[in-house]
Amino acid sequence: MNVVNPIRCKKQLEAVKGYLRGKNKRDYLLFMVGITSALRISDILSLKVNHVWDGKKPAEFIELNEKKTGKYKRFPVTPNLKKAIKEYMAEYDGCPDDYLFVSRVGKNKPISRQYAVMMLNQACDMVGVEESFGTHGMRKTWGYWAFKSGISLDYISIALNHRSIAETKRYLGLLQEDLDNIYLQVNL
């Protein structure tokens, strides 16, 4: 299994958003859900339209039971995510019980994990993201930017359903970054 990384540069993060937004609203929404929710790809792909849209406007919260842990998860729909949902729904012509990220292949099936990986890698390549990125990179991106925004690792660890803060630090690549900064600070 390849190790993936978060997108650590805001300009690159915005560039990926812009690229996907201009290319395909469904793929843009998938990326937005991924970077604003800390969900795993299996949970993102299982979302139905009625998870995010009440028939007239975006939902205030998204609620589900995580596939991997079975734990209940609820998170608010951020203003940026609301915009992405509105843009997608303006072009949507399916049913509320359909998968949100419906594939063009088959009847009411979500896109595949493989398609999601390929789509994300293509977007990252197009905007110059050099580090390895994949579907799990969206979850890591959320955690990384939550930390950079000053959110306590305690809360980030809870949101990611990690057992410890040390696990969260490793997961986000913060241990190596912290060690690098220590060497730079000592500067003998």
Side-chain angles (χ1 to χ4, degrees), residues 10-24:
K10 274 278 189 177
K11 285 183 180 179
Q12 287 182 326
L13 184 59
E14 293 302 320
V16 172
K17 286 184 197 179
Y19 173 79
L20 289 171
R21 186 176 187 209
K23 187 169 188 264
N24 182 310

Side-chain angles (χ1 to χ4, degrees), residues 39-47 64-73 99 110 113 161:
L39 289 174
R40 292 173 184 87
I41 191 65
S42 58
D43 295 319
I44 293 170
L45 295 179
S46 72
L47 290 174
L64 64 133
N65 288 320
E66 293 181 329
K67 283 188 173 192
K68 182 176 179 178
T69 65
K71 293 181 182 178
Y72 169 79
K73 179 152 185 152
Y99 283 101
R113 296 171 76 104
N161 279 322

Side-chain angles (χ1 to χ4, degrees), residues 4-9 11-17 19-20 23 31 35 116-135 137-138 141:
V4 297
N5 295 291
I7 297 175
R8 292 182 172 94
C9 172
K11 285 183 180 179
Q12 287 182 326
L13 184 59
E14 293 302 320
V16 172
K17 286 184 197 179
Y19 173 79
L20 289 171
K23 187 169 188 264
F31 184 70
I35 65 170
V117 169
M118 187 251 341
M119 175 270 296
L120 290 168
N121 283 325
Q122 180 183 38
C124 287
D125 287 346
M126 292 300 291
V127 303
V129 174
E130 293 181 10
E131 292 189 270
S132 180
F133 192 80
T135 56
M138 296 185 296
T141 297

